[in-house]
Amino acid sequence: MVGYLHFAGHGHRVRLTAHNILGLAVWEARLPGSPGSPLARRRMAKGLDELEEAGCRRLLSPCPLVPCYPMVHTRSLWQAVAAPLILADLRQRGLEPCRSVVAVRGDRMTRSYLRTCQALAREVKALSLSLLRQETFCWNLQQELGVPLVEGGAAATLSFLPGQWRPGFFPLGDEDPSMGSWRLELPGLTLPDGCPSLPVLAALLDAGRLPVGEVLCLPEERACREAENAI
């Protein structure tokens, strides 16, 4: 089970509330006051104690009181949507995927790396791969999926290594990758107050409860417009 601390700004005591999100048990420790309150540390400690008693083993967002408390990380989530993310980026910049070269960088073979290459091979003009000591894999990918492999000339890059996001370059190797103005949404998913959206999607993925194919990769401005249209 996972949980989170939520300063609700009202009430007089810490309250624990159970939520069911697509079959995943999520515990909310609702704390009175605000993070800047003189009693904030005591209330966070009480909230953590109650979450542990309820069986919560990971937090959806970090707790400054106990920074080493186990957390839900988002690397697997971003890697799971790597292909649709880079395709959305190309289209956002006015580039047709079928006319574009995508670079995929990594230092070892992983299922996420392979799955991403297989998905992109059906959509893009060519791939530019960088994977040490994997010449056989590159040859097999070209033969089995019919995707050309080129060097250089990529319009966008997916890197399965740590790094810093910049337009057209998406590093997926950090525990919690930063993707700049990009965000993920699952249509129809309603979250309880204070629940961090990205970590809860990652927790759903870890539990095998996330319909990955339905997750939308949206640039921030578009995400805001769609939210306004839904009101």
Side-chain angles (χ1 to χ4, degrees):
M1 288 186 285
V2 298
Y4 65 100
L5 300 173
H6 174 210
F7 280 96
H10 58 271
H12 300 285
R13 62 185 180 86
V14 175
R15 297 174 53 191
L16 204 61
T17 303
H19 302 284
N20 186 302
I21 303 177
L22 299 185
L24 176 69
V26 177
W27 288 93
E28 173 193 2
R30 186 178 290 258
L31 314 180
S34 68
S37 165
L39 297 176
R41 292 179 64 84
R42 183 185 302 176
R43 288 164 175 168
M44 283 191 288
K46 176 64 173 175
L48 287 175
D49 288 343
E50 295 203 10
L51 285 173
E52 288 186 348
E53 289 180 11
C56 173
R57 295 294 176 263
R58 293 189 297 165
L59 293 178
L60 293 175
S61 56
C63 174
L65 188 64
V66 189
C68 61
Y69 200 101
M71 280 186 52
V72 173
H73 295 290
T74 60
R75 174 168 50 203
S76 294
L77 174 65
W78 284 111
Q79 291 187 1
V81 300
L85 175 64
I86 208 74
L87 294 174
D89 173 71
L90 290 171
R91 297 185 180 108
Q92 173 70 11
R93 291 189 285 137
L95 302 174
E96 296 181 41
C98 63
R99 297 175 181 268
S100 302
V101 175
V102 171
V104 186
R105 303 287 180 251
D107 61 353
R108 61 190 177 90
M109 173 59 61
T110 64
R111 275 186 285 184
S112 295
Y113 188 102
L114 175 59
R115 182 175 58 243
T116 299
C117 289
Q118 290 172 330
L120 289 175
R122 307 182 188 98
E123 303 286 345
V124 301
K125 176 182 178 181
L127 292 175
S128 174
L129 303 183
S130 173
L131 193 63
L132 299 178
R133 298 181 296 279
Q134 294 292 337
E135 294 84 358
T136 301
F137 162 72
C138 295
W139 185 86
N140 287 338
L141 188 66
Q142 185 174 17
Q143 294 300 311
E144 294 176 16
L145 300 180
V147 57
L149 301 181
V150 299
E151 293 186 10
T157 299
L158 283 170
S159 173
F160 284 77
L161 303 170
Q164 174 132 20
W165 178 88
R166 57 184 182 272
F169 182 85
F170 295 83
L172 308 171
D174 290 311
E175 279 190 326
D176 295 289
S178 173
M179 290 298 147
S181 60
W182 287 90
R183 60 182 294 182
L184 303 179
E185 289 186 5
L186 182 62
L189 179 65
T190 301
L191 299 179
D193 288 346
C195 184
S197 59
L198 193 63
V200 86
L201 292 180
L204 287 168
L205 178 67
D206 292 344
R209 297 181 180 277
L210 180 69
V212 177
E214 298 178 19
V215 175
L216 301 180
C217 305
L218 302 174
E220 194 67 35
E221 290 183 2
R222 180 182 167 189
C224 292
R225 287 200 304 270
E226 292 197 0
E228 291 174 356
N229 293 336
I231 297 176

